[in-house]
Amino acid sequence: MELLLIGAGAIGVALAAGLADEGHHMTILAREDTRRAIDSDGVHRTGLFAEKHIPAGVVTTVSDYAALPQGAFDFVLISAKTMANEEISDKLNEHRGCLKEGGKLVLFQNGWGNDAWYRRYFSEEQVCSARVITGFRRETRSHSVVTVHTQPLLLGSLYGCDPTPLEPLAQAIDRSGIPCETSDTVAEALWAKMLYNCTLNPLGAILHVPYGALCEKDETVAIMNDLIDEEFAVMHAAGYRTFWETPEEYREVFYGKLVPDTYAHCSSTLQDLEGKRKTEIATLTGCILSLAKEHGVPVPVSTVIYRMIRGLEAQF
């Protein structure tokens, strides 16, 4: 396969190393400093699963959409921060000729609603989504570490389209060592991830602790329980569903499996704040707040969490 990656962060570098190791040609569109690092050092994945070390010159890098070849790519993997979606979707539309006929975009991103930016220009069949609940950390611009894992990556459509065309990509990621499969319930899976992320991600960043530490104090467990209640109320009011009907059902899995499996992980929001970067809170808790306002659902705890992250961002 010919693959284009946009977003050479922790997830992107890990995917690129694994897929290149499987023999697929990977082109990475990245900022100039990241492009230079990859050109000189290659891409590397360590941590959980099989290590992958791809030497310099195997992966192609570009820093300009105009440099993308015409009719080249079977899949565009988008793992950039969600704040970049407007720019990326605009640029991909301007250079849509880089896709092969039937080529697809696959969003490996946090949050809910990212697809809307791409659906302005591309069809339901072309815009696909991935549920990623594996943890990654970027050691350097060319090296990603897989830190925790609890469930396979899921690839599919939010619009009921047949996921079969995504099988070659899912199988390649799976063979590279990161469990991955296609799914016809990716919308439900993404809402499951929203519950997980919106409960753990910002709270861990505010308190500067890994996920597991949040379960060790009654006070933080109480906050998470309140967040889960609010998230379920918003999800149901907005007409969405996931794999559990009630907050009580979800909490059994959350405390019994999901948090233990990712006990030592520090959230992407915490990593962003430590790096003095803007976070993805708008597509996480911000999405909960927007839907809550639209449907008249009170979310006082989520509101405080959101404001605290914005307050921390405002310090730099």
Side-chain angles (χ1 to χ4, degrees):
M1 292 182 292
E2 287 285 338
L3 305 171
L4 170 63
L5 174 74
I6 302 175
I11 295 174
V13 168
L15 289 171
L19 290 165
D21 188 65
E22 285 298 306
H24 303 288
H25 183 238
M26 177 67 65
T27 298
I28 298 178
L29 193 152
R31 293 188 180 93
E32 192 62 30
D33 48 2
T34 299
R35 186 190 66 77
R36 288 195 299 268
I38 292 172
D39 284 349
S40 64
D41 190 44
V43 285
H44 308 273
R45 187 185 88 199
T46 58
L48 300 182
F49 311 123
E51 293 194 358
K52 306 292 180 181
H53 298 282
I54 308 303
V58 174
V59 169
T60 299
T61 65
V62 298
S63 54
D64 189 337
Y65 286 82
L68 297 174
Q70 293 292 296
F73 300 111
D74 299 287
F75 295 101
V76 179
L77 283 56
I78 300 169
S79 58
K81 292 291 187 180
T82 57
M83 302 84 77
N85 279 333
E86 182 174 10
E87 178 186 357
I88 294 170
S89 58
D90 287 346
K91 289 291 187 181
L92 278 176
N93 181 51
E94 292 174 22
H95 301 277
R96 61 192 303 131
C98 70
L99 285 169
K100 288 182 180 177
E101 184 176 355
K104 297 183 183 300
L105 316 181
V106 188
L107 311 183
F108 292 80
Q109 295 180 301
N110 279 330
W112 180 261
N114 298 305
D115 58 299
W117 293 105
Y118 300 90
R119 281 288 290 116
R120 295 180 299 158
Y121 305 121
F122 298 94
S123 69
E124 290 183 352
E125 289 76 15
Q126 287 179 290
V127 179
C128 307
S129 296
R131 190 288 306 273
V132 183
I133 202 165
T134 300
F136 301 86
R137 183 183 71 250
R138 191 169 76 161
E139 286 286 285
T140 69
R141 295 186 185 278
S142 60
H143 176 195
S144 178
V145 181
V146 185
T147 56
V148 292
H149 174 79
T150 183
Q151 293 176 348
L153 276 65
L154 298 180
L155 310 185
S157 168
L158 297 180
Y159 319 109
C161 301
D162 182 6
T164 302
L166 295 167
E167 281 289 347
L169 179 60
Q171 291 172 9
I173 295 172
D174 192 71
R175 285 194 300 267
S176 81
I178 299 177
C180 183
E181 58 194 52
T182 59
S183 171
D184 56 7
T185 59
V186 75
E188 290 89 339
L190 283 179
W191 266 101
K193 187 184 178 187
M194 277 287 284
L195 295 170
Y196 172 86
N197 274 346
C198 293
T199 304
L200 292 165
N201 198 316
L203 185 58
I206 290 165
L207 296 176
H208 206 87
V209 296
Y211 289 165
L214 296 173
C215 297
E216 295 176 354
K217 302 294 182 182
D218 291 342
E219 293 80 4
T220 47
V221 169
I223 293 171
M224 291 192 291
N225 286 339
D226 288 342
L227 289 169
I228 290 169
D229 286 340
E230 292 181 1
E231 291 151 12
F232 262 85
V234 168
M235 179 180 66
H236 287 159
Y240 299 117
R241 293 292 182 270
T242 189
F243 304 122
W244 308 275
E245 287 297 323
T246 67
E248 291 75 21
E249 291 177 17
Y250 177 66
R251 277 192 274 267
E252 289 187 18
V253 177
F254 179 78
Y255 292 115
K257 175 173 172 55
L258 298 179
V259 176
D261 283 355
T262 56
Y263 189 93
H265 184 64
C266 291
S267 74
S268 59
T269 299
L270 175 56
Q271 294 176 47
D272 286 338
L273 291 174
E274 288 178 334
K276 299 188 182 305
R277 300 183 296 268
K278 295 297 183 182
T279 74
E280 296 178 297
I281 196 66
T283 47
L284 294 169
T285 309
C287 177
I288 296 295
L289 267 58
S290 295
L291 290 171
K293 182 178 180 180
E294 180 181 351
H295 296 281
V297 179
V299 286
V301 182
S302 298
T303 299
V304 170
I305 293 291
Y306 178 84
R307 289 173 178 170
M308 291 183 74
I309 294 295
R310 286 303 195 201
L312 290 169
E313 286 180 331
Q315 296 179 26
F316 50 85

